[in-house]
């Protein structure tokens, strides 16, 4: 479920915003909170939700700018939303991609694109420029999607970024892209397990 974070702005706290978003998703009478598996704190960490009947469910949430998204599942779940532009600005294939996911010509291709763009002059190059820009936009969207898939998987696993993204191969996990507002990418991962419980991810 997508939420407009501006409607939650009066709460002045990302933690409280997340709680209100989960209540909007599940119902006002649920219990919600946070728990950090590393230090045991209840002021930050993974969110949890307990339904009115006393049972727990798996939840995850993510925020980017004015947009906040929540997910509820019967199994461990993780969701992530990112600004495509922001991902592009900090993209490092060595830190994000598993060795089997790396394109062997990635750096060479980036240098070629940079050279071609620098050499463009005047209307004679308009078509070439448009093609290069289209290629760049496609690359940006792919990188945004990959980043979201990795974070969604890590959230579902419950390790977060304490596990390097480069150790995760997306093809090994049940993760799907989801529709997101313009300029954003989003993905959700659900890891089936026997039974149900209250473990949640953020």
């Amino acid at each position: 479920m997508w939420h407009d974070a501006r409607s939650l702005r009066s709460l002045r706290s990302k933690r409280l915003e997340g709680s209100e978003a989960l209540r909007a998703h599940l119902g006002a009478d649920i219990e919600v909170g946070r728990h950090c598996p590393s230090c045991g704190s209840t002021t930050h960490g993974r969110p949890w939700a307990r339904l009115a009947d006393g049972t727990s469910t798996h939840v995850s949430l993510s925020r980017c700018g004015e947009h906040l998204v929540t997910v509820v599942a019967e199994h461990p779940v993780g969701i992530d939303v990112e600004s495509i532009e922001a991902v592009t600005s900090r993209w490092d294939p060595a830190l994000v991609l598993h060795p089997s996911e790396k394109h062997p010509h990635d750096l060479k291709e980036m240098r070629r694109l940079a050279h071609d763009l620098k050499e463009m002059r005047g209307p004679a190059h308009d078509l070439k420029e448009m093609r290069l820009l289209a290629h760049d936009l496609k690359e940006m969207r792919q990188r945004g999607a990959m980043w979201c898939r990795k974070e969604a998987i890590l959230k579902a696993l419950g390790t977060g970024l304490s596990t390097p993204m480069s150790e995760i191969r997306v093809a090994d996990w049940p993760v799907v892209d989801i529709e997101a507002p313009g300029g954003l990418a989003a993905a959700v991962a659900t890891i089936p397990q026997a039974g149900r419980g209250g473990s949640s991810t953020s």
Side-chain angles (χ1 to χ4, degrees):
M1 176 182 287
W2 287 93
H3 311 264
D4 183 351
R6 290 172 297 184
S7 65
L8 305 169
R9 184 175 292 166
S10 61
L11 296 172
R12 301 179 182 277
S13 163
K14 289 185 178 181
R15 181 172 64 88
L16 290 177
E17 287 175 0
S19 297
E20 286 303 303
L22 287 172
R23 288 192 176 96
H25 194 149
L26 286 164
D29 55 349
I30 67 166
E31 290 183 65
V32 292
R34 293 269 183 167
H35 177 260
C36 176
S38 298
C39 69
S41 173
T42 59
T43 62
H44 64 273
R46 297 158 60 185
W48 55 265
R50 188 172 297 113
L51 306 180
D53 63 5
T55 61
S56 296
T57 189
H58 295 273
V59 297
S60 183
L61 59 90
S62 183
R63 178 180 176 173
C64 184
E66 302 296 347
H67 300 282
L68 191 153
V69 61
T70 55
V71 63
V72 178
E74 293 186 353
H75 301 283
V77 64
I79 196 165
D80 189 56
V81 56
E82 301 285 343
S83 160
I84 294 173
E85 183 179 357
V87 169
T88 300
S89 69
R90 63 182 188 267
W91 180 262
D92 183 344
L95 298 178
V96 179
L97 300 180
H98 185 274
S100 67
E101 296 169 333
K102 292 181 181 178
H103 193 295
H105 306 298
D106 184 63
L107 183 57
K108 184 178 180 181
E109 178 69 7
M110 290 294 290
R111 286 174 176 166
R112 183 191 68 77
L113 286 171
H115 177 269
D116 286 349
L117 286 169
K118 184 178 180 180
E119 292 297 314
M120 286 178 188
R121 296 292 185 274
H125 299 286
D126 285 351
L127 181 58
K128 185 176 183 181
E129 184 175 3
M130 288 175 63
R131 287 174 176 168
L132 285 171
L133 290 174
H135 179 278
D136 284 347
L137 288 173
K138 181 179 179 181
E139 285 288 315
M140 290 172 65
R141 288 192 293 268
Q142 289 175 343
R143 291 174 179 181
M146 178 62 79
W147 189 289
C148 287
R149 294 168 195 154
K150 297 268 180 159
E151 283 217 37
I153 293 166
L154 292 172
K155 289 179 179 183
L157 290 172
T159 63
L161 293 177
S162 62
T163 298
M165 284 188 182
S166 59
E167 293 183 7
I168 297 294
R169 189 174 72 163
V170 169
D172 295 335
W173 301 94
V175 58
V176 296
D177 299 333
I178 59 175
E179 289 189 23
L184 304 180
V188 61
T190 306
I191 302 177
Q193 66 174 20
R196 294 181 56 186
S199 179
S200 314
T201 58
S202 165

